[in-house]
Amino acid sequence: MKLLVLALFVAGAYGCGQPAFPPNLPRVVGGEDAREHSWPWQVSLQYKSGSNFYHTCGGTLIAPQWVLTAAHCIGSRTYRVYMGKHNMKNRDEAGSVAISPAKIIVHPNWDSSRIRNDIALIKLNTPVTVSGIIMPACLPDAGQILPHEAPCLVTGWGRLTTGGATADALQQALLPVVGHSTCSRYDYWGNMVSTSMVCAGGDGKLSSCNGDSGGPLNCQNPDGSWEVHGVVSFGSAMGCNYYKKPSVFTRVSAYIPWINNATRPVCLQQLEMWVSYLNGSGPGHLVPDSEHHEASGLGSVCRQR
């Protein structure tokens, strides 16, 4: 009982989605370099070609051994997941680490022709050490729908302009949510978007772009913590920032039951972090408190099993 009480105290003291280096939030809509390590759950999914690895997609660390990304990012290549990165030109960033996947789980109903269920999970070969620059994001409540114009930010190392160069430093851009009733209008995306997607942006100025795929749509809670509400899925073939063609994300809250089922050992990882902290053998922080634990979908896993 004493161990449990102490573990709950530790959980309440930290919490997921709370960066040690808070992001500089834009006051106006505009893409910009992110503050270094202010999005510590952002990962770079990289593929091997020859003896080198190259960035192909983004992803989100959601637990010490699990990363969330897009199904369309996954192929038959050899991958690694790079965490703690900020500038892709700097190969020796302090605290950054690359880990190979132990397994990759693509949603069983992934439909590449209709772009449905564009979501995948990567189990890392070894759990990453949670630190000030590598930590998980929170997950939203199952079924949660963000209101129209909710302010969220997309992050990634994708192209800076349509057909242009990819970013060296991690980028962030404010993309207000576009409600489904608007995004599904004929002059927006029509029936190409489903209720298991979330749209954001569409002002013709800012959007996600090639190379951002699989990365997070970050939305802040009233308590200051951040949840990943979307996985970058697709945009307009006419250009990355085409008017009335918002960036389209897989809506994470629609897939919480699937994530829970696929990552059942996650709650054990959290317990191991608590024990590690109490034994003084690891950082052990950023464990979700009861509210975040519930919101992340991990609480239900531990209760049921």
Side-chain angles (χ1 to χ4, degrees):
M1 177 61 72
K2 182 179 180 181
L3 177 64
L4 177 61
V5 170
L6 287 173
L8 291 175
F9 175 79
V10 172
Y14 297 100
C16 60
Q18 297 179 348
F21 306 93
N24 294 322
L25 301 183
R27 297 183 181 180
V28 295
V29 177
E32 59 188 3
D33 288 2
R35 180 185 182 187
E36 194 167 354
H37 305 310
S38 59
W39 304 105
W41 43 86
Q42 172 81 48
V43 311
S44 169
L45 179 63
Q46 303 184 347
Y47 69 92
K48 189 175 185 179
S49 179
S51 59
N52 297 314
F53 281 87
Y54 301 92
H55 173 82
T56 184
C57 280
T60 305
L61 186 71
I62 59 171
Q65 204 168 359
W66 289 96
V67 168
L68 188 67
T69 190
H72 79 261
C73 291
I74 304 302
S76 58
R77 291 167 161 168
T78 297
Y79 294 100
R80 71 178 183 182
V81 177
Y82 222 136
M83 291 156 285
K85 289 294 294 177
H86 176 70
N87 195 306
M88 287 297 177
K89 281 194 170 181
N90 186 349
R91 295 189 177 184
D92 300 311
E93 288 181 295
S96 63
V97 61
I99 301 179
S100 299
K103 66 177 177 178
I104 298 176
I105 306 171
V106 173
H107 195 281
N109 296 325
W110 159 232
D111 183 343
S112 60
S113 61
R114 299 173 61 238
I115 320 180
R116 296 292 192 266
N117 304 302
D118 189 9
I119 191 168
L121 287 160
I122 300 173
K123 183 178 183 181
L124 302 176
N125 193 42
T126 57
V128 68
T129 299
V130 178
S131 68
I133 63 173
I134 301 174
M135 60 188 71
C138 300
L139 296 180
D141 288 322
Q144 183 178 354
I145 303 294
L146 293 170
H148 183 69
E149 295 188 347
C152 297
L153 287 94
V154 65
T155 50
W157 290 277
R159 295 188 186 278
L160 298 171
T161 59
T162 302
T166 55
D168 292 327
L170 183 66
Q171 300 291 295
Q172 65 177 37
L174 178 65
L175 295 186
V177 168
V178 178
H180 182 73
S181 61
T182 298
C183 198
S184 58
R185 281 170 26 185
Y186 77 93
D187 55 335
Y188 277 71
W189 280 110
N191 61 10
M192 287 191 66
V193 294
S194 71
T195 55
S196 62
M197 301 173 184
V198 59
C199 303
D203 64 355
K205 300 176 182 178
L206 289 171
S207 71
S208 58
C209 202
N210 307 89
D212 291 326
S213 289
L217 180 67
N218 307 280
C219 309
Q220 194 170 28
N221 289 314
D223 68 358
S225 64
W226 291 87
E227 293 177 343
V228 53
H229 275 264
V231 175
V232 179
S233 182
F234 67 89
S236 175
M238 295 178 286
C240 291
N241 49 358
Y242 203 80
Y243 182 58
K244 287 190 175 181
K245 288 293 182 284
S247 299
V248 181
F249 303 77
T250 302
R251 180 169 62 83
V252 175
S253 65
Y255 294 89
I256 295 299
W258 176 74
I259 293 171
N260 284 347
N261 186 61
T263 63
R264 288 179 183 178
V266 164
C267 62
L268 299 179
Q269 293 184 47
Q270 300 292 346
L271 290 172
E272 289 167 359
M273 289 173 65
W274 293 343
V275 173
S276 175
Y277 178 88
L278 294 171
N279 290 339
S281 58
H285 57 285
L286 301 162
V287 179
D289 60 22
S290 58
E291 179 181 351
H292 292 134
H293 201 230
E294 194 71 31
S296 71
L298 305 183
S300 61
V301 180
C302 293
R303 284 200 308 273
Q304 293 171 9
R305 295 168 180 86

